[in-house]
Amino acid sequence: MRGRELTMIGVLVLESVACAGSEGAGSTPSSADGGSGSVASTGVSSAISSGAATGTSGAGSIPGKVALSGDGSSGASGAGSSGGSTGASTGTTSGGSGGTSGGASGAASTAGAGGVSSGAPSGASAGQAEEGGACADPCPAPGAGITFGCEKRFLYGVNYAWKNWVADFGGVVAWGQAGVSGNQVAIKADLQDMSSHGVDVVRWWMLQQLAGEAVQFDATGTPTGTGGSLIADIQAALAIASQVGVHYNFTLFSFDDFVPSGNSSGATLHGMNPIVTDDTKRAALMKVVATVAQAVESSPNKDRVVSWDVVNEPEWAINGTDPYGDPAFAANAGYQAVTFAQMETFVGDTVKTLHANSSAGVTVGGAAIKWAQAWSHVGLDYYTFHMYDWVNQYYPYDKSLATYGVTGPTVLGEFPLAGLAAVNGQAAVPLSTMLTTLMSIGYAGAMPWAVNDTCCGSWANVKADVKAFADANACVTHF
């Protein structure tokens, strides 16, 4: 999220009445989710249209990994290719407990490796079930939930979303800001505070702008690998999570990555448009994604990552329409937009790369359920949508997912900590009411915005309410 100033019917409407754009903590300018910074955000957009993943499989399964259904049951996926780059599965069966994978799904490959389904998400974090044995879940979430390992839970937490904008993973030398590994005391204190107030899953952004040292580039603007403290920061974040008892939903990219290349307060900024639209550069970026996923997968604390969010609100960096019947997209002013087909190709490549190199599930942080079908053909494990006052006016948060044509496990991944405001004749909805309603109408999780952004409510003011909901639903809100 982050300020999000959106153009709707030719009128600038704030995505959340209170969210007028804000800067991340620290001394450097920020522009996430339309916040004030080097680029103002004033529009709307979303989409991607190309290709369903190569190598399809049944019912949202991941080739070569255990396929878990939305109700926590599991079955065996078809044999994957042990060293190839497609790893297509021959199908899945649902309903049996346990079940082992049919082989590695081309994990040696990066971009394009591993086939994934393009159907409704399974709600699973595949590859985590016990091999050859039954999964015992003492308190599966009633109704909808997200399955991680052998546990089906209401994915409950909060957006961090960063300690220092851009710098948390990799650092930004030009800004004098260190990543997690160099800022562990302060970050651990934040995460401990979240954990003590009932938070289980923390949504944390990683590469929301390519302005730091995390991703290295050659003279042509092609990614060449990881750098700075990125890998050390990942390991530090995982270790802290294990110590304080939280899990992560790591968000790799954001629409903020689509600002033009240039200088950002002394740091070299690499815009994503030239990368996403170029096959060679995009494939090079997938190698970086693979390295990030492998850094988690090789960690003794890899179980701290529940899922990956490919990109935060890609809709704001797209122009045009998708082929799935959604309303048109209109990119935010000041961003280098791409077509839906180009964004869908990028998202699909990233999903495949993550599935080939990580056992955690994958989602996309969709800006609004207005674009309910946009990411239905990229092989996600579950859907994520965001909800703010401007959305609630036209797509009420308390309507069933079926009303909007959504047919898979779905998490509300952003909504105001303060709850929804009284806008356009609608009554205000406090956070506690939103949480209870979301669980009751079939959402699989809820994560309000945000601990370190006061645009949409103060964490200090509502963390007692966050804890109260967790306490009332203790077993089903914690993996």
Side-chain angles (χ1 to χ4, degrees):
M1 129 79 224
R2 214 180 146 132
R4 310 174 205 236
E5 299 154 18
L6 311 176
T7 300
M8 297 184 62
I9 317 177
V11 180
L12 187 65
V13 178
L14 290 181
E15 178 168 288
S16 174
V17 170
C19 297
S22 59
E23 293 189 343
S27 60
T28 58
S30 62
S31 60
D33 284 10
S36 61
S38 60
V39 180
S41 80
T42 56
V44 177
S45 97
S46 161
I48 314 178
S49 100
S50 101
T54 64
T56 58
S57 63
S61 73
I62 301 173
K65 298 180 180 179
V66 176
L68 305 178
S69 75
D71 66 0
S73 60
S74 63
S77 94
S81 107
S82 61
S85 60
T86 56
S89 127
T90 58
T92 37
T93 58
S94 172
S97 65
T100 58
S101 69
S105 64
S109 174
T110 52
V116 283
S117 78
S118 60
S122 66
S125 174
Q128 295 271 342
E130 297 173 1
E131 288 196 15
C135 287
D137 188 348
C139 54
I146 300 300
T147 299
F148 178 65
C150 293
E151 298 175 334
K152 177 190 166 194
R153 299 287 182 266
F154 184 81
L155 192 152
Y156 185 59
V158 71
N159 284 266
Y160 191 2
W162 52 81
K163 183 65 174 178
N164 290 306
W165 170 248
V166 178
D168 285 347
F169 292 91
V172 184
V173 172
W175 300 349
Q177 290 189 347
V180 180
S181 58
N183 198 19
Q184 294 190 53
V185 173
I187 289 172
K188 184 175 181 179
D190 285 348
L191 294 171
Q192 183 64 64
D193 183 41
M194 293 178 225
S195 177
S196 67
H197 286 89
V199 168
D200 182 49
V201 181
V202 176
R203 184 169 179 251
W204 196 347
W205 294 16
M206 301 186 82
L207 304 172
Q208 62 264 43
Q209 277 189 348
L210 302 179
E213 278 58 59
V215 180
Q216 300 294 295
F217 294 84
D218 65 17
T220 70
T222 301
T224 58
T226 60
S229 58
L230 175 60
I231 302 304
D233 294 336
I234 292 170
Q235 300 302 335
L238 295 175
I240 294 172
S242 181
Q243 293 163 15
V244 305
V246 296
H247 296 85
Y248 295 130
N249 169 225
F250 276 147
T251 302
L252 283 173
F253 304 105
S254 176
F255 72 85
D256 302 274
D257 282 290
F258 288 82
V259 294
S261 299
N263 184 283
S264 178
S265 298
T268 300
L269 174 63
H270 297 272
M272 284 276 279
N273 178 291
I275 300 171
V276 167
T277 58
D278 182 279
D279 291 346
T280 299
K281 291 179 180 179
R282 190 175 64 253
L285 185 63
M286 291 305 105
K287 293 181 180 179
V288 172
V289 171
T291 299
V292 169
Q294 290 163 4
V296 171
E297 197 68 14
S298 63
S299 169
N301 298 308
K302 72 174 186 178
D303 64 331
R304 294 292 115 187
V305 178
V306 168
S307 60
W308 300 93
D309 183 343
V310 172
V311 53
N312 171 67
E313 302 189 349
E315 293 84 356
W316 309 133
I318 303 168
N319 280 327
T321 60
D322 67 31
Y324 311 123
D326 289 323
F329 308 102
N332 288 354
Y335 289 79
Q336 291 186 318
V338 297
T339 67
F340 178 81
Q342 290 168 332
M343 186 71 85
E344 188 178 50
T345 296
F346 163 65
V347 171
D349 285 353
T350 308
V351 172
K352 286 182 284 186
T353 302
L354 289 169
H355 277 157
N357 293 279
S358 172
S359 54
V362 185
T363 189
V364 167
I369 207 164
K370 170 181 180 177
W371 297 290
Q373 303 305 316
W375 315 116
S376 60
H377 289 67
V378 293
L380 300 180
D381 294 291
Y382 66 91
Y383 295 121
T384 299
F385 298 108
H386 299 168
M387 174 64 64
Y388 289 90
D389 299 334
W390 75 268
V391 184
N392 192 51
Q393 293 181 67
Y394 307 101
Y395 304 86
Y397 89 98
D398 56 356
K399 299 295 183 183
S400 71
L401 290 164
T403 300
Y404 302 116
V406 179
T407 57
T410 302
V411 171
L412 201 65
E414 286 188 21
F415 55 96
L417 273 171
L420 295 168
V423 176
N424 200 25
Q426 292 179 312
V429 185
L431 175 66
S432 57
T433 299
M434 286 195 72
L435 293 171
T436 301
T437 302
L438 291 169
M439 179 180 278
S440 69
I441 65 175
Y443 275 84
M447 306 179 74
W449 181 277
V451 170
N452 275 346
D453 189 349
T454 59
C455 80
C456 305
S458 165
W459 167 247
N461 290 342
V462 302
K463 60 186 179 181
D465 293 331
V466 172
K467 185 178 188 302
F469 182 82
D471 289 347
N473 302 277
C475 190
V476 300
T477 56
H478 287 77
F479 288 104

